[in-house]
Amino acid sequence: MKWSAIDLEAGVRSGDRRALARAISLVEDGDPAAYDLVRALYPHTGQAYAVGVTGPPGVGKSTLISALVRHVRARERTIGVVSVDPSSPFSSGALLGDRIRLSDHFLDPGVFIRSMGTRGHVGGLAEATLQALLLLDAAGKDVVFLETVGTGQGEVEIISIADTVLLVLMPGSGDSIQALKAGIMEIPDVIAINKMDHPAAKTMLNEVRSILSLDRKRDWRPPIVLTEATRGENVPELWAKIEEHRAHLAQGGRLEERRRRNLRTEVFVVASARAKGYLEQAVAEDAELCRLLGEVERRELDPLTAVREILEKVFHLEDGNRTRTR
C-alpha cells in the first residue's frame, strides 16, 4: 500500500497497525520522509509509559515481557513492544525477527510488537529505536516495553529513554554475576530474579540486596521480585512494583524531570550518530585526510594530532594548538 504523508500520519495517530509498521520502517531505514512524520507527530507524544527491560542474555527477558503484556492487557491497556536484536552483518536487520516468545500476542489488536536491529550501535540500541518509541506513543499506546540485546555494561544506555528500568537476572548464571560487577546495578528501578524455583534464587536475592544496600544516596531503593515467567508467577507483584516506581516519579515532578533529561540525551545521541556518519564519509572522500590516517597507522603521526586536523578541516573547529611538527 502506498501511503501519503497525511494518510500515514493519520494512520499512526489512529493506531493502525499497517501505518505503524510502515512508519517504523521509515525511521529504521533513515528515510527522509521519517523526519517530517516524526516532526508532525511529536506534539502528540508524552503519554505512553516506557519500561526498559534489560539484563544478560538468556535470563528470560522475552518470556517475562510476554507475561507482563498478558497481565497489563487484562487491565485493558494498549501496549507496544520494541525488541532490539543483534543486527545481521549482511542486511543490518534483526537476526531474531519478531520474538517467538511473544507470539501469543501477535493477533491481539491492542498489542504492537516490533523487532529492530542494533545496526552496529555499541550500546545495543538502534538510533531508530528512539523514534519508534515516539511513534508508538503517538499511536496511543499506554505502555511501551523496550527489550535490549543484553550485552552487559552497554545496557546503561537504556536509562536515557525509559521511564522505569527493569533489570532481569537469573540465579546460577555467571553472566548475571558479571552484570553485577559491570556496574549495571546502578541503573535499575526494579529488579526481577527470574526462575525463582532455582536452588540459588534466594541466595542471589540476598547478594543483590547487599549490593543495593551500599548505595545510600538514592531516594528510591529498587525492589527485588522473584518470578517464574513461564508460569506467570509473581508477575502481578512485579507489575505492582513498576507502578509503585511510576507513582514515586509522579511525586514532586520527578517523572517530568526524568523525561526532560531523557529528551535532552536523545538529542545528543542522535546528533552524535549523525556527526559520526558525516565524519566517516568526509574522511573517506578526502585524500588528504585518508593520508593522515595512513600516517597514524605507520606511527608517523600521533592520533591526537590527526584528530585535531580532521576536526578542523571537516567541522572548521578552531584550535589554538594547531602547530604540527614534521
Side-chain angles (χ1 to χ4, degrees):
M1 177 179 176
K2 182 69 174 178
W3 293 89
S4 69
I6 295 177
D7 288 342
L8 190 57
E9 179 187 345
V12 171
R13 289 201 61 193
S14 67
D16 183 276
R17 297 169 72 89
R18 293 176 303 167
L20 258 177
R22 176 58 181 159
I24 293 177
S25 293
L26 288 177
V27 300
E28 196 171 15
D29 295 338
D31 192 296
Y35 293 96
D36 293 333
L37 178 63
V38 172
R39 181 168 60 247
L41 291 171
Y42 189 70
H44 306 288
T45 63
Q47 301 303 314
Y49 197 78
V51 179
V53 183
T54 186
V59 297
K61 295 189 292 293
S62 294
T63 305
L64 189 57
I65 290 175
S66 180
L68 284 167
V69 168
R70 188 175 299 109
H71 175 71
V72 177
R73 280 295 290 146
R75 306 173 76 170
E76 299 185 352
R77 298 184 187 177
T78 56
I79 298 171
V81 181
V82 179
S83 293
V84 182
D85 288 329
S87 292
S88 163
F90 304 105
S91 67
S92 293
L95 280 175
L96 304 182
D98 285 330
R99 294 300 178 96
I100 295 173
R101 294 174 184 84
L102 291 164
S103 60
D104 291 347
H105 308 291
F106 284 165
L107 299 180
D108 185 341
V111 180
F112 183 89
I113 301 170
R114 179 63 173 251
S115 287
M116 304 181 74
T118 60
R119 297 174 181 257
H121 188 59
V122 176
L125 289 175
E127 174 189 330
T129 306
L130 305 172
Q131 311 303 322
L133 290 175
L134 290 176
L135 291 172
L136 290 166
D137 189 355
K141 300 305 179 187
D142 298 313
V143 179
V144 178
F145 290 100
L146 171 65
E147 178 187 1
T148 66
V149 176
T151 52
Q153 195 165 2
E155 300 287 42
V156 297
E157 216 172 279
I158 191 177
I159 199 171
S160 68
I161 56 177
D163 296 321
T164 294
V165 178
L166 169 63
L167 173 62
V168 185
L169 299 172
M170 182 181 72
S173 167
D175 287 338
S176 295
I177 300 303
Q178 289 303 314
L180 302 183
K181 294 178 180 177
I184 200 172
M185 292 301 298
E186 298 172 6
I187 74 165
D189 301 302
V190 180
I191 298 172
I193 297 178
N194 199 27
K195 302 184 181 180
M196 59 188 289
D197 294 337
H198 192 285
K202 291 188 177 179
T203 299
M204 186 173 202
L205 184 149
N206 291 330
E207 290 175 350
V208 173
R209 186 173 287 157
S210 297
I211 293 172
L212 293 176
S213 67
L214 299 176
D215 185 1
R216 295 185 172 87
K217 297 179 181 179
R218 297 179 64 165
D219 57 358
W220 168 264
R221 182 64 55 86
I224 309 167
V225 181
L226 293 171
T227 63
E228 177 49 64
T230 55
R231 298 195 301 268
E233 290 188 35
N234 285 354
V235 169
E237 289 80 0
L238 178 61
W239 181 250
K241 295 302 180 184
I242 293 173
E243 293 211 307
E244 282 182 24
H245 180 250
R246 180 175 185 170
H248 169 77
L249 290 178
Q251 296 174 358
R254 294 187 185 92
L255 179 58
E256 288 306 312
E257 180 182 345
R258 175 176 282 208
R259 287 180 171 177
R260 286 195 296 269
R261 181 196 66 201
N262 291 352
L263 290 171
R264 287 195 299 269
T265 301
E266 178 179 341
V267 170
F268 284 107
V269 167
V270 176
S272 298
R274 291 280 185 265
K276 180 175 182 289
Y278 177 78
L279 183 62
E280 290 176 345
Q281 182 178 355
V283 172
E285 296 174 351
D286 190 299
E288 181 182 348
L289 297 181
C290 286
R291 178 177 53 79
L292 286 176
L293 293 181
E295 291 181 11
V296 173
E297 292 169 359
R298 295 189 298 273
R299 297 186 182 274
E300 297 170 359
L301 179 67
D302 69 278
L304 292 183
T305 298
V307 168
R308 184 173 66 241
E309 296 199 20
I310 290 172
L311 292 180
E312 287 176 358
K313 183 165 186 180
V314 176
F315 295 117
H316 308 291
L317 297 178
E318 293 295 331
D319 191 322
N321 301 312
R322 286 197 264 179
T323 302
R324 176 179 170 188
T325 302
R326 285 286 185 179

